[in-house]
Amino acid sequence: MAKLIGVKKINTAVLISGTGSNLRSLLVFFTNKNSNISIKLILSNNPKAEGLKYAKIFKIKKKIISYKNQKLAEKKILSCLKRNKINLVCLAGFMRLLSRKFINSFNGKIINIHPSLLPKYKGLNTHERVIKKKERYSGCTVHYVNHKVDSGKIIMQKKVRINKKDTAETLSKKILKQEHLLYPKALLKIYPNL
Ligand code: GRF
């Protein structure tokens, strides 16, 4: 497909703390010369995050930010984002909370993926709680990040049926598969508003 002239380019940074399977799915989806959304940078607070390996595989920059001091860490992240001309931040299993100041300075251009049908089951250990409550459905949500945990405006959701035999582990696997499909779709959806 021919590249359109004058269309806006969205440079994305993905923040991770662990496996990075959502990061991988974004990289696979958007690693294409004609894409107007590109993943330029991987940031991790965890030097041992498995997902950091994708920097080498996909030939993009990575940076590890120590979180011993949150204020300093956020300052470093912000300057790194500016230096790399990032205009969208995707959280993908990033296990640190972002301050109100940081979120405001990015002006609504931070999104996150959460493994439940928000506003239900915000926070950690989602699948365990869902199974305990004997829910029939769960799923995943991509949402904008605001100053309250998992509470920003919802962009897209995908419902997943829970079987009687499902455990937290099997449910987590089923939902993660759907997360990998949902996150790129959500980026395409918000692209006109970025
Ligand atoms: C995903 O389930 C995501 O929804 C949650 O953390 C997990 C990260 O998994 N926020 P991965 O690192 O992308 O594999």
Side-chain angles (χ1 to χ4, degrees), residues 74-84:
E74 289 192 345
K75 225 174 145 186
K76 283 187 185 163
I77 296 177
L78 265 182
S79 68
C80 186
L81 297 177
K82 279 194 185 142
R83 238 188 355 264
N84 289 282

Side-chain angles (χ1 to χ4, degrees), residues 56-107:
K56 199 170 178 187
I57 298 172
F58 287 85
K59 297 189 181 65
I60 58 166
K61 278 193 201 170
K62 67 171 178 196
K63 191 162 173 68
I64 295 152
I65 307 274
S66 156
Y67 248 77
K68 275 185 193 138
N69 174 331
Q70 188 190 4
K71 232 176 165 179
L72 195 64
E74 289 192 345
K75 225 174 145 186
K76 283 187 185 163
I77 296 177
L78 265 182
S79 68
C80 186
L81 297 177
K82 279 194 185 142
R83 238 188 355 264
N84 289 282
K85 300 189 168 47
I86 299 298
N87 35 23
L88 175 69
V89 169
C90 293
L91 308 183
F94 185 63
M95 301 303 282
R96 289 285 181 272
L97 296 177
L98 298 170
S99 72
R100 186 187 287 257
K101 195 175 165 203
F102 184 93
I103 293 164
N104 289 345
S105 62
F106 237 77
N107 205 19

Side-chain angles (χ1 to χ4, degrees), residues 11-188:
N11 295 330
T12 308
V14 183
L15 271 60
I16 61 165
S17 300
T19 320
S21 67
N22 278 291
L23 161 68
R24 183 183 176 277
S25 82
L26 289 172
L27 282 164
V28 168
F29 195 92
F30 293 109
T31 301
N32 162 1
K33 277 192 192 131
N34 292 320
S35 174
N36 295 319
I37 299 175
S38 49
I39 315 293
K40 291 275 184 203
L41 178 67
I42 304 170
L43 281 169
S44 174
N45 64 307
N46 172 13
K48 293 189 177 143
E50 215 187 293
L52 283 166
K53 69 183 178 205
Y54 296 117
K56 199 170 178 187
I57 298 172
F58 287 85
K59 297 189 181 65
I60 58 166
K61 278 193 201 170
K62 67 171 178 196
K63 191 162 173 68
I64 295 152
I65 307 274
S66 156
Y67 248 77
K68 275 185 193 138
N69 174 331
Q70 188 190 4
K71 232 176 165 179
L72 195 64
E74 289 192 345
K75 225 174 145 186
K76 283 187 185 163
I77 296 177
L78 265 182
S79 68
C80 186
L81 297 177
K82 279 194 185 142
R83 238 188 355 264
N84 289 282
K85 300 189 168 47
I86 299 298
N87 35 23
L88 175 69
V89 169
C90 293
L91 308 183
F94 185 63
M95 301 303 282
R96 289 285 181 272
L97 296 177
L98 298 170
S99 72
R100 186 187 287 257
K101 195 175 165 203
F102 184 93
I103 293 164
N104 289 345
S105 62
F106 237 77
N107 205 19
K109 306 261 169 76
I110 308 177
I111 65 174
N112 180 42
I113 187 153
H114 182 75
S116 81
L117 290 175
L118 290 174
K120 287 177 113 182
Y121 301 99
K122 297 173 182 173
L124 298 174
N125 306 319
T126 321
H127 308 301
E128 284 80 355
R129 288 185 284 135
V130 163
I131 294 283
K132 217 173 175 180
K133 277 270 182 187
K134 301 198 181 335
E135 297 279 6
R136 294 184 55 217
Y137 292 94
S138 186
C140 46
T141 305
V142 177
H143 64 95
Y144 286 103
V145 171
N146 68 8
H147 60 278
K148 281 193 193 155
V149 176
D150 301 325
S151 299
K153 190 176 169 215
I154 290 171
I155 300 166
M156 278 182 109
Q157 292 189 304
K158 175 74 187 176
K159 213 170 172 183
V160 171
R161 207 186 140 82
I162 304 174
N163 299 326
K164 288 215 171 85
K165 283 186 182 163
D166 269 324
T167 62
E169 203 183 330
T170 60
L171 181 62
S172 140
K173 279 188 188 152
K174 265 205 263 187
I175 291 178
L176 198 56
K177 261 193 194 167
Q178 295 305 321
E179 290 183 41
H180 298 157
L181 303 173
L182 190 71
Y183 216 170
K185 274 193 204 160
L187 260 70
L188 293 178

